[in-house]
Amino acid sequence: MTATTGKDTSTITLGTGGGGDVDVDVVIIGAGFSGIRMLIETRRLGLTARLIEAGSDVGGTWYWNKYPGARTDSQAWVYGFPLDEVRNDWRWEERFATQPQTHAYIRHVTDTFDLWSDITLDTRVGSAVFDDDARTWTVTTDGGETISSKAVITATGQLSLPYYPSFDGLSDFEGDWYQTQNWPDDGVDFRGKRVAIVGTGATAVQVIPIVAEDAAHLSVFQRTPNYVLPARNDKLSEHDVDVIRTNFDEIFDRAFSQPFGMDIPPAAGRIAADCTPEQQQQVLDRGWEAGGFRYLFETFDDLLVEQSTNDLAAEFIRKKIRSIVRDPETAEKLCPKDYPLGGKRPPLGHYYYETFNRPNVTLVDIGETPIRIEPKGIRAGDEFHEVDAIIFATGYDAITGTLDQIDIRGRDGRVLRERWAEGPKTHLGMMVDGFPNLFMVAGPQTPFANIPVVAEYCVGWLSRLLRVMHERGADTAEPTTEAVQEFSQLVEAVLDATVLRQGGKRSWFLGTNIPGKPAAAVMWLGGVGAFREVAEAEVDGGYGKVVMESATANVSG
Ligand code: NAP
């Protein structure tokens, strides 16, 4: 498998830092799945590393998001790494792992590889500045520490900076309010309470059915309806787990070829136009019943690129909503109508639509009416909803948000967030011109896909790059400006080949969910397999688009 590393067990050194002493070879920012996997790799390469993490534990997303119902939308067995050291001793419990299970997994990986001594928790990186003369980075933290290193590797997550719109009147609200990304460790008891939830994205879709079971009443404030696909979660038997372990390599090979990085065949092998209307409905029904993202990937291969196929699949979902939700008015409000399926990332529901049949659940359509919070509840136009508690599930300043919070300065003092003012531009989502030895794992413009699989590939690619730097005696590596332009144009072109950009609905993977943020192709929408082909071509071409320099010479291949 191209993505896995660690076959070459010899260790490397990373340049000379231009003669300057450094504290460590590499500073890694973020202890989520990407950062932990990178730290395993730097150990294997024999490099010294410090990993700085803002949270009080490892886990990233899976540390912060303790809200009720939080679980993966990828199959549990591919929400992890194809590492021999952890393949046989981890027991996957369910098809979609809960937050505690997923958090336990990443802690288990951290323990197995004995990584804790290189990890500093409860600490945020404030700045990372490249010194042109010494050819080193200086990283400063909010703990007042300064660390010098030869490279900085960001693993700050794609959805890690919560977005909280400022709602008028919130400071006067007399009840309790909660943010999903900052959930109390001990949970919240909603029994007997009138609860409101603002937002109906993937997070809210997980919270709503759970809170509805406890709350006296739940009012769901929906601005834009989503196409929610049924997850169809299941417990895994011992036999299931044996099958996963036995076929682990094959499963990950499949995930590395599947567009979304999941354990689903890479293609359905049919397009809608090849089927009769009856066959089309049969195929869509099978995909719907199979659960999870199978509806997107096991039905028609042209679903995300051919408008008529997308319309067909979207209409099928609307029919399902109308058949599940008993109140026709509520069903109609839940039907997305003016943007394509996939234009916003479809959430997976665990009896989501069914929840609106409960007598204690009300859907409030705020598509045309911004809400105002008052001391006793929420006003939406003429309607007032008295509530005891509000849950905000309003999303993230995705992809670039967290990186923008760090003052990252490259060659000649150029500032990364200024460079990316119109949207991120990278070489293969892993490097930026003018920022030598700044590497990114699962960064902007990497595939829109199951994160651990993307992280595994990026780590493997960077590991091979570091080896080549070692072989060439390079201190630094950075892509050419042309390479960054070329790749960014390709990312745009790939997006334009889909039906996803049109519709203009607020979507985090287009950067359009944050008021004022420029719309940009912040992610690679061509699938993991196609991304790998582009990235492997760079390796096969001897890293021709990457400039490598030693203290005295250009050592590019
Ligand atoms: P999101 O999809 O961006 O949803 C945010 C919600 O808040 C939307 O319904 C949005 O409405 C609403 N909202 C934002 N500002 C508002 C305002 N001023 N007034 C009223 N409503 C407002 O965010 P998310 O649900 O946190 O999910 C983000 C991504 O995280 C997902 O797409 C997914 O990739 C990931 N995620 C994954 C999992 C998983 O894998 N298990 C679980 C949760 C999240 P509009 O749509 O109208 O903007």
Side-chain angles (χ1 to χ4, degrees), residues 236-422:
L236 299 177
S237 65
E238 285 304 327
H239 174 71
D240 293 332
V241 172
D242 281 348
V243 170
I244 292 166
R245 286 194 182 131
T246 308
N247 298 293
F248 208 56
D249 291 335
E250 193 188 312
I251 286 171
F252 268 92
D253 280 346
R254 193 154 48 233
F256 279 106
S257 310
Q258 202 276 330
F260 233 44
M262 295 192 175
D263 182 15
I264 299 177
R270 71 178 87 77
I271 60 169
D274 290 343
C275 302
T276 64
E278 292 73 28
Q279 287 168 335
Q280 289 171 344
Q281 294 304 308
Q282 247 176 15
V283 166
L284 291 171
D285 218 18
R286 263 204 313 269
W288 180 265
E289 290 307 319
F293 292 111
R294 289 176 178 264
Y295 185 75
L296 294 184
F297 298 111
E298 281 189 342
T299 51
F300 302 115
D301 291 330
D302 58 347
L303 194 150
L304 298 178
V305 293
E306 171 57 47
Q307 190 61 57
S308 60
T309 305
N310 193 283
D311 290 346
L312 189 75
E315 183 55 24
F316 180 94
I317 296 177
R318 284 189 286 271
K319 278 194 198 138
K320 282 288 178 193
I321 297 170
R322 291 176 187 127
S323 74
I324 295 169
V325 179
R326 285 191 214 110
D327 174 43
E329 209 180 309
T330 304
E332 229 37 53
K333 285 185 201 162
L334 285 165
C335 286
K337 291 189 181 120
D338 56 356
Y339 70 96
L341 168 59
K344 292 163 86 70
R345 192 282 219 175
L348 295 195
H350 300 259
Y351 303 99
Y352 176 69
Y353 291 124
E354 289 82 351
T355 301
F356 292 91
N357 290 331
R358 295 179 67 109
N360 68 332
V361 176
T362 308
L363 180 68
V364 186
D365 179 0
I366 56 166
E368 305 296 329
T369 331
I371 55 171
R372 195 194 142 68
I373 297 174
E374 299 187 358
K376 302 268 179 231
I378 301 184
R379 181 167 297 286
D382 297 339
E383 288 179 28
F384 181 68
H385 300 262
E386 195 165 327
V387 295
D388 307 305
I390 305 174
I391 301 169
F392 294 101
T394 47
Y396 295 85
D397 183 349
I399 314 293
T400 50
T402 303
L403 284 170
D404 283 352
Q405 303 265 301
I406 306 171
D407 186 9
I408 300 177
R409 289 170 192 257
R411 237 182 243 293
D412 308 320
R414 68 188 74 170
V415 179
L416 188 64
R417 75 167 83 89
E418 289 171 6
R419 179 78 206 293
W420 285 356
E422 298 306 316

Side-chain angles (χ1 to χ4, degrees), residues 67 71-73 159 163 165 167 198-203 206 223-224 344-345 366 393-396 506 508:
Y67 61 80
R71 59 171 75 238
T72 64
D73 280 352
L159 294 146
Y163 164 59
F167 288 106
V198 180
T200 51
T203 300
Q206 293 188 327
R223 191 164 67 174
T224 312
K344 292 163 86 70
R345 192 282 219 175
I366 56 166
T394 47
Y396 295 85
R506 295 167 285 259
W508 61 261

Side-chain angles (χ1 to χ4, degrees), residues 13 60 71 89 97 138 190 204 216-217 248 277 344 376 386 471 515 519:
T13 52
R71 59 171 75 238
D89 63 350
T138 302
F190 287 116
H217 194 88
F248 208 56
K344 292 163 86 70
K376 302 268 179 231
E386 195 165 327
E471 285 157 15

Side-chain angles (χ1 to χ4, degrees), residues 1 96 101 114 125 138 148 197 247 258 499 511:
M1 186 189 313
F96 301 108
Q101 289 162 0
D114 196 16
V125 170
T138 302
S148 60
I197 183 161
N247 298 293
Q258 202 276 330
V499 298

Side-chain angles (χ1 to χ4, degrees), residues 33 76-77 79-81 83-94 97-109 111-112 236 238 241-242 244-245 248:
F33 272 64
W77 52 96
Y79 205 93
F81 304 118
L83 297 168
D84 288 343
E85 292 84 344
V86 285
R87 67 186 285 173
N88 286 326
D89 63 350
W90 188 252
R91 170 64 163 92
W92 301 275
E93 304 282 343
E94 299 177 61
T98 63
Q99 177 268 332
Q101 289 162 0
T102 314
H103 189 217
Y105 170 81
I106 196 70
R107 281 186 59 88
H108 173 68
V109 172
D111 287 340
T112 303
L236 299 177
E238 285 304 327
V241 172
D242 281 348
I244 292 166
R245 286 194 182 131
F248 208 56

